[in-house]
Amino acid sequence: MERPGGLIRWHKQPLTRTTRAGSCAQTAQTRQTPQTPQTAQTAQTARPHKPEALLLFTSVDDVATRLAETGYLASTAVATTVFLADRLGKPLLVEGPAGVGKTELAKAVAEVADARLVRLQCYEGVDESRALYEWNHAKQLLRITAGRDESWDETRTDIFSEEFLLPRPLLTAIRGSDPKVLLIDETDKADVEVEGLLLEVLSDFQVTVPELGTITAETRPFTVLTSNASRELSEALRRRCLFLHIGFPDEELERRIVRLKVPGLDEELARSVVRVVGALRAMDLRKAPSVAETIDWARTLLALGAGSLDENVVRDSLGVVLKHQEDVLKAAAKLDLDAV
Amino acid sequence: MNAPSTGVPEQAGVPDRAGVPERAEAPDQAGVPERLTALVQALRSHGIRIGTGETVDAGQALEALGLDDRERIREGLAAALLHGEGQRPVFDPVFDLYFPRGVGAPDLLDGSVSGSGPEREFDRDDLRDRLAAALAADDQALLARLAAEAVDALGGYGTRPGSGSGSGGSDGWSSHQTLSRLRPETLLARILAGIRQGTAEGEFTDRLTADEIRRRIENFRGQVGAEARRRVAERRGADVIARRAVATTADRVDFLVAGRAQLDELRRTVQPLARKLATRLAARRRRAARGHIDLRRTLRGSLSTGGIPMRPVLRRRRPARPDLVLLCDVSGSVAGFANFTMLLVQALHDQFSKVRVFAFVNRVDEVTDLIARGTADPEGLGSRIISGAAVTGYHGSSDYGTSLGEFAERYAEAVTPRSTVFVLGDARTNMSDPNLPALRTIASRARKLYWLNPENRAQWQTGDSAAGTYAEFVDMYECRNARQLSALIGRLLPI
């Protein structure tokens, strides 16, 4: 049984060098045909290995306005950092509490750039074959059985062509020339080994498939990594990224977000909701309510038909904002909810 | 979000008459690259690791952003230079020093105050009135201007105190002096009364107003601190101030010298830290589970292959969770350290089959329940232990010998061969008998005993410290700040 993975792959490499080089050149040629003359030119400049960044935005204000059009209201920090990530062509590492819109940011950028969103959801045990690429073993077997009369060399070069390659998110984001946004979600959930894999991909935006050669991105995808900080990411990975911490928005921004996401809500009620949530956040709770909870609460109040906040409404709906019983009790005590 | 940490010790403006050059308006008109590298140097001196690559990125960021908008530059540099949110409280004040809001006295900054001069009579009540109005309206720009004005008028000291607008009149500026003369916290009642007058009676959100105003005042105090640092930096150079007057990150502050604000900040990190440690413990468990070869079963299995061990059999770990016993000195000197560690261990309790916590000063009492209930109100934990548990006898100073003896005697059943014991304390016994046999009894009964000492290793066995004596018999570790503690706990906790 031929196993393409593991050690055998490396033994075979010198044997197939000529054929590999041939097929590689071929694929490179076919890939270059749809290219615009401009990108072909940039490929010849001083750093041929560094693919060009997309350059989606012209200024920080441009970022803010265009993100706002998609329904993502960005703070100064977010707008500035997104602009820099685009300009410097560096991946963006976004940290922050759950529910402040880390994943939403990547989606919004993809929408603005009219780019395809490629998402790699990390979890414990995600590995190379889930993140990068995998050979389609079943199809390779079929191909071998179909071509019984062929010589070994013919079959061997054939079954390691792109047709039998199953690209996973990282490879997908690198191949092709259409603009892409690569979202690596919850990076902290993945094992440390995956970080090593990401290092290669994120610093040079290239992937080496031993049988095919090195595949380099033509257009650098706009890359967003998110993390909930359940594990400290390695210093090496952090160094390669621009760091952005999305915290809880200030009162004015949050009010705008609530008004945007819950259009039916009365201005005065939105103000009250945001103020109460702000007070809850200052309370040192186990899980401070984030923007998602604020919006949920605003929707709940709208559904309940509450015209304004009062003791009963707050007490009955506090469970929407706070997710731990002890937090609810503490908040109720601090807000004097029982002093009716 | 970018409120500088308050309570920063303002030790910068020590008058230095040994010939500080008279630098009037422009303290250091260095170019942008020099300024950037100086900023990086200052950040490095606070323990933030920044490589050359990041500095280059920061330079590119500046190029891309231009120098028009200060807040954007701040965010851009933070994105390029920092690696974690914990570094932000250091970055912001340092940034304010190297990229100051302006140069010189506030009148020169915006030209909004007319008729200014050294002889201008300063009206403190007028400033307080305007401050009250600004706090009520939450006008950030105005508050910043008022902070500048207040420092200029009230904060100066030295040979030529008072407002010497623009000519660098005073020897230094003190935020402490400014705030004690201005006393913004006393404005609270007036602001509240003003707001209540304007609005209808009985709104639900009214009860939040007081806290909001308090936060704004706290914020204003931070602005005054930043402004004082800026003014002093003009006299004495940004480098000096950046190193001395900016507090370091909370996880590097020594437990023994940490102020209230820093302990508060540390307490907020307990939950995230516990989550991180739990992940680390889980990873260690996983690795340990596929660890040693079970020789007996491997040989038994090799019989089917003619005695050749083809398949190694790994030892299965029994999924038993270990016990944890904490023995904490809660006397005044080390209470901050003990409380933080207790909260942290409590947050980790689901990792262990049983966690028992004992507190002592000169008598031992079990406080496990107090702490389990204490998670809802971590601030009051220390005082509740002192009042609710019998930790002191006839006097209030700590006595390790008696406490260890009592623990070995009364709570012998708490320590089993499955339990790991942590002793937390500085081992300062007030010259009483260290009672080594008691410690040896506990250590021999436990699976492992560690001692975490919040004192600098250099101070062990000095004065009344028995740390060296104890360290001969147990593993004692220096554990001065939260960073060391989390590293130690991640390594030492049993799995």
Side-chain angles (χ1 to χ4, degrees):
Chain A
M1 175 70 75
E2 170 71 5
R3 282 188 54 222
L7 294 167
I8 302 167
R9 212 157 60 180
W10 295 104
H11 286 305
K12 216 166 48 188
Q13 213 177 351
L15 299 176
T16 58
R17 176 157 291 158
T18 46
T19 44
R20 266 199 315 115
S23 70
C24 193
Q26 208 175 21
T27 47
Q29 229 169 29
T30 48
R31 256 188 281 128
Q32 257 168 16
T33 32
Q35 259 181 10
T36 58
Q38 199 209 343
T39 44
Q41 212 173 27
T42 49
Q44 288 163 5
T45 50
R47 285 151 66 187
H49 294 300
K50 285 270 174 186
E52 271 305 293
L54 275 176
L55 292 195
L56 306 168
F57 303 104
T58 55
S59 70
V60 181
D61 293 319
D62 184 42
V63 178
T65 43
R66 282 168 67 189
L67 284 181
E69 279 163 22
T70 69
Y72 189 96
L73 297 178
S75 63
T76 318
V78 172
T80 311
T81 319
V82 166
F83 172 68
L84 283 179
D86 177 41
R87 240 342 120 90
L88 308 185
K90 295 194 87 177
L92 186 59
L93 171 62
V94 188
E95 275 189 0
V100 290
K102 300 187 290 291
T103 309
E104 283 308 306
L105 175 63
K107 288 182 183 164
V109 171
E111 198 179 328
V112 164
D114 198 15
R116 203 171 125 209
L117 183 71
V118 183
R119 179 169 180 167
L120 171 64
Q121 180 72 44
C122 292
Y123 49 89
E124 216 171 291
V126 68
D127 60 355
E128 203 171 328
S129 61
R130 292 281 149 210
L132 206 51
Y133 69 89
E134 201 174 7
W135 288 107
N136 190 343
H137 297 309
K139 204 171 173 190
Q140 281 174 331
L141 282 178
L142 278 177
R143 170 70 187 77
I144 294 167
T145 19
R148 276 182 194 287
D149 306 331
E150 283 174 350
S151 73
W152 164 236
D153 274 339
E154 278 173 309
T155 319
R156 186 175 54 190
T157 44
D158 206 44
I159 61 169
F160 290 114
S161 62
E162 295 216 21
E163 192 192 343
F164 299 93
L165 193 67
L166 290 175
R168 300 295 183 202
L170 289 182
L171 186 59
T172 314
I174 283 176
R175 288 210 302 182
S177 56
D178 53 326
K180 288 187 203 71
V181 171
L182 171 61
L183 167 64
I184 304 175
D185 216 356
E186 311 205 354
T187 318
D188 50 328
K189 298 277 191 311
D191 303 320
V192 185
E193 295 81 19
V194 178
E195 273 186 34
L197 179 73
L198 287 177
L199 288 183
E200 186 199 356
V201 176
L202 294 183
S203 56
D204 296 334
F205 286 95
Q206 62 181 33
V207 169
T208 306
V209 183
E211 294 84 357
L212 289 178
T214 302
I215 299 173
T216 311
E218 287 156 26
T219 50
R220 184 188 281 265
F222 186 93
T223 311
V224 178
L225 295 89
T226 74
S227 159
N228 268 330
S230 76
R231 169 174 78 79
E232 202 65 55
L233 295 178
S234 75
E235 202 66 1
L237 185 65
R238 286 173 180 275
R239 267 177 208 291
R240 279 167 179 73
C241 304
L242 289 178
F243 175 78
L244 170 65
H245 180 271
I246 304 187
F248 299 126
D250 61 18
E251 210 179 302
E252 196 251 329
L253 180 63
E254 186 158 27
R255 204 160 55 226
R256 275 168 55 210
I257 294 174
V258 169
R259 296 270 291 151
L260 186 78
K261 297 286 175 188
V262 194
L265 200 70
D266 169 54
E267 170 83 51
E268 195 51 42
L269 186 54
R271 182 185 298 272
S272 306
V273 165
V274 169
R275 278 180 68 187
V276 173
V277 170
L280 291 175
R281 278 177 197 153
M283 267 181 209
D284 205 4
L285 299 173
R286 226 173 116 186
K287 165 81 179 76
S290 75
V291 186
E293 272 96 43
T294 316
I295 294 172
D296 281 349
W297 197 27
R299 289 209 175 110
T300 312
L301 292 176
L302 193 65
L304 287 174
S308 67
L309 283 186
D310 59 44
E311 306 239 344
N312 291 325
V313 172
V314 173
R315 188 180 324 122
D316 293 346
S317 58
L318 209 53
V320 180
V321 199
L322 300 176
K323 309 292 172 166
H324 293 286
Q325 183 56 25
E326 53 199 271
D327 283 358
V328 173
L329 292 178
K330 190 171 174 184
K334 288 220 175 169
L335 290 175
D336 296 334
L337 284 184
D338 298 315
V340 189
Chain B
M1 180 160 123
N2 48 22
S5 63
T6 53
V8 171
E10 184 62 57
Q11 38 174 252
V14 184
D16 178 3
R17 295 191 183 81
V20 179
E22 194 72 31
R23 281 183 291 187
E25 263 96 323
D28 43 339
Q29 281 288 24
V32 175
E34 285 78 13
R35 213 167 259 243
L36 181 61
T37 45
L39 172 80
V40 169
Q41 290 290 348
L43 289 174
R44 281 180 190 152
S45 75
H46 280 285
I48 299 178
R49 279 185 288 173
I50 299 172
T52 321
E54 282 114 303
T55 317
V56 172
D57 285 341
Q60 283 174 341
L62 278 180
E63 193 186 9
L65 289 171
L67 293 169
D68 302 333
D69 190 326
R70 185 159 165 269
E71 283 313 303
R72 283 179 190 169
I73 294 176
R74 182 199 295 274
E75 300 300 341
L77 289 184
L81 294 175
L82 300 187
H83 298 136
E85 181 59 8
Q87 299 166 338
R88 199 61 202 245
V90 170
F91 173 82
D92 276 325
V94 173
F95 175 85
D96 284 333
L97 290 176
Y98 286 93
F99 292 82
R101 206 167 55 82
V103 172
D107 309 16
L108 297 178
L109 284 181
D110 43 38
S112 63
V113 184
S114 59
S116 65
E119 70 281 355
R120 174 170 57 108
E121 200 54 42
F122 184 76
D123 188 355
R124 189 168 67 95
D125 290 333
D126 171 55
L127 183 62
R128 275 171 64 88
D129 287 344
R130 281 186 290 149
L131 180 60
L135 284 170
D138 197 17
D139 182 345
Q140 288 301 319
L142 184 57
L143 282 173
R145 227 164 34 233
L146 288 175
E149 210 177 305
V151 169
D152 186 51
L154 301 174
Y157 62 82
T159 47
R160 289 161 294 169
S163 170
S165 298
S167 56
S170 318
D171 282 338
W173 281 267
S174 155
S175 64
H176 181 74
Q177 181 181 319
T178 311
L179 290 170
S180 61
R181 287 187 186 168
L182 191 62
R183 286 187 296 140
E185 60 278 0
T186 55
L187 290 171
L188 178 65
R190 197 196 318 177
I191 300 170
L192 278 179
I195 290 179
R196 294 236 164 91
Q197 225 170 25
T199 56
E201 201 54 34
E203 284 277 327
F204 176 76
T205 45
D206 281 355
R207 65 188 71 181
L208 309 175
T209 316
D211 277 335
E212 281 174 4
I213 303 290
R214 256 182 226 120
R215 283 204 291 276
R216 283 179 209 163
I217 292 177
E218 203 51 42
N219 216 350
F220 177 74
R221 295 173 74 93
Q223 282 175 324
V224 169
E227 174 66 15
R229 274 197 301 276
R230 179 183 75 79
R231 294 296 294 277
V232 176
E234 284 178 9
R235 295 281 315 209
R236 300 174 46 92
D239 296 334
V240 183
I241 307 305
R243 276 174 187 70
R244 289 219 203 122
V246 176
T248 194
T249 46
D251 63 340
R252 286 172 176 275
V253 176
D254 275 19
F255 285 118
L256 296 182
V257 300
R260 228 184 81 91
Q262 282 159 333
L263 286 178
D264 284 349
E265 198 178 326
L266 276 180
R267 213 163 33 230
R268 275 193 289 278
T269 63
V270 163
Q271 288 294 342
L273 187 59
R275 219 176 48 214
K276 255 178 228 173
L277 287 173
T279 326
R280 215 179 291 170
L281 286 179
R284 268 176 62 199
R285 281 207 184 102
R286 246 196 341 266
R287 273 201 296 279
R290 49 165 198 257
H292 304 283
I293 284 184
D294 188 336
L295 203 59
R296 193 186 65 79
R297 282 166 62 207
T298 307
L299 289 179
R300 176 75 182 78
S302 74
L303 292 183
S304 61
T305 48
I308 301 163
M310 301 278 277
R311 244 170 320 203
V313 182
L314 297 182
R315 186 163 297 171
R316 283 252 139 256
R317 280 180 55 86
R318 247 181 288 155
R321 307 214 145 177
D323 286 2
L324 204 60
V325 175
L326 231 60
L327 190 55
C328 312
D329 181 359
V330 291
S331 65
S333 55
V334 289
F337 167 60
N339 289 350
F340 180 73
T341 314
M342 283 191 249
L343 288 173
L344 185 61
V345 168
Q346 176 58 31
L348 280 169
H349 71 101
D350 52 352
Q351 298 290 320
F352 302 98
S353 68
K354 201 192 285 172
V355 177
R356 293 184 72 176
V357 185
F358 299 88
F360 66 89
V361 174
N362 45 46
R363 294 191 52 201
V364 182
D365 199 4
E366 177 156 11
V367 293
T368 313
D369 290 343
L370 276 177
I371 291 172
R373 273 185 279 126
T375 45
D377 174 30
E379 294 108 289
L381 180 64
S383 52
R384 264 195 326 240
I385 288 177
I386 296 292
S387 62
V391 290
T392 51
Y394 302 111
H395 57 102
S397 49
S398 53
D399 179 349
Y400 281 71
T402 315
S403 307
L404 288 171
E406 192 187 347
F407 178 75
E409 205 175 296
R410 273 177 61 195
Y411 298 102
E413 98 291 349
V415 181
T416 65
R418 287 188 37 199
S419 43
T420 302
V421 181
F422 279 86
V423 184
L424 314 177
D426 56 4
R428 296 209 169 265
T429 59
N430 291 308
M431 298 301 175
S432 57
D433 172 31
N435 200 353
L436 276 174
L439 184 65
R440 231 175 299 173
T441 318
I442 302 169
S444 65
R445 207 176 295 146
R447 173 175 158 188
K448 200 80 190 145
L449 189 144
Y450 301 105
W451 191 307
L452 305 184
N453 191 332
E455 270 194 339
N456 192 335
R457 196 177 278 270
Q459 285 162 11
W460 293 5
Q461 204 65 22
T462 60
D464 60 345
S465 166
T469 320
Y470 287 128
E472 285 174 24
F473 294 97
V474 298
D475 293 334
M476 191 178 282
Y477 294 90
E478 179 191 270
C479 182
R480 286 161 60 197
N481 49 41
R483 177 178 291 250
Q484 277 182 341
L485 177 66
S486 65
L488 280 173
I489 287 206
R491 197 154 49 93
L492 300 181
L493 275 189
I495 49 171

